[in-house]
Amino acid sequence: MPNNSGHSSDTPTPAYATATPSLTKRPKLVPNKGRALLWYLLSLLVIGLDQWTKWLAELKLNFHEPIPVIEPILNWTLAYNYGAAFSFLADQGGWQKWFFAGLSLAMSIFLVIYLTRAPRQAKLLNVGLALILGGAIGNLIDRVRIGKVIDFIHVHYADVWHYPIFNIADIAICIGVAIVVIDMLFFESKRNAKFQA
């Protein structure tokens, strides 16, 4: 049936005429900014636990005298590390104290700033960064206060194999790094595809 313009109403309307442009946009990645305080609190928890356990270790343990906890794999053994992880550069003349303290301080400042800029949606990444920050500051306190890092967790297998003695700060750093790597490998690309930077 023709309409007023003389065209039949049975004529199909072209698809392009009815299509409307999509107005939906990807949500944006929002930086933590003030909410970084939540992650700083996690770092403070790590620092507090680390310093408390080191204080207990020095109070209750004698230097290099192991106390069995879970035989034959775990002892409490008080030790001091003058170097970095695995006692790297521990036997140097003392300059390494300030080198590693400066490195820890620089890393801590970087992480404090980066946590304010990291995406709020990247909760796993933020957890990892907060753990690394807490561990770095925990060991930094030791280096500045006494010139060495207090270690006491001794994992081994009888007298056959010994892992380097470590502390709570070291655990936090290792777990934090693992979490950051997992986020980079499995979640960062999905987050970038879902959100706009």
Side-chain angles (χ1 to χ4, degrees), residues 21-191:
S22 174
L23 298 176
T24 57
K25 291 183 179 178
R26 288 184 299 165
K28 289 197 170 195
L29 285 171
V30 180
N32 279 320
K33 293 187 179 176
R35 289 203 182 177
L37 180 61
L38 295 173
W39 305 114
Y40 296 153
L41 291 175
L42 176 56
S43 298
L44 283 173
L45 180 64
V46 170
I47 295 166
L49 183 61
D50 174 66
Q51 291 297 304
W52 177 66
T53 53
K54 286 172 177 175
W55 173 76
L56 280 178
E58 286 205 300
L59 184 69
K60 303 287 187 182
L61 304 174
N62 294 320
F63 183 68
H64 273 197
E65 288 185 15
I67 303 295
V69 180
I70 304 173
E71 287 284 10
I73 59 170
L74 177 65
N75 293 339
W76 298 147
T77 305
L78 179 63
Y80 298 107
N81 183 359
Y82 292 85
F86 308 109
S87 296
F88 177 64
L89 295 179
D91 57 351
Q92 299 302 303
W95 61 266
Q96 74 275 20
K97 165 190 169 181
W98 300 111
F99 173 75
F100 290 121
L103 203 59
S104 296
L105 180 61
M107 176 61 68
S108 300
I109 291 170
F110 169 79
L111 289 171
V112 165
I113 295 169
Y114 189 71
L115 270 168
T116 65
R117 299 177 181 176
R120 191 176 297 174
Q121 294 91 338
K123 290 185 172 56
L124 193 64
L125 173 65
N126 289 317
V127 168
L129 294 172
L131 290 175
I132 297 170
L133 176 61
I137 293 177
N139 283 339
L140 174 62
I141 290 170
D142 287 10
R143 292 188 195 283
V144 171
R145 186 173 64 88
I146 58 173
K148 55 197 173 185
V149 174
I150 302 165
D151 292 323
F152 63 93
I153 304 171
H154 182 195
V155 175
H156 64 101
Y157 181 70
D159 283 328
V160 178
W161 172 82
H162 294 268
Y163 191 80
I165 303 172
F166 56 97
N167 57 44
I168 299 296
D170 297 332
I171 294 172
I173 291 170
C174 290
I175 293 174
V177 168
I179 289 173
V180 169
V181 170
I182 289 169
D183 181 83
M184 288 171 57
L185 292 177
F186 300 106
F187 298 103
E188 186 176 20
S189 58
K190 292 179 183 177
R191 187 166 58 245

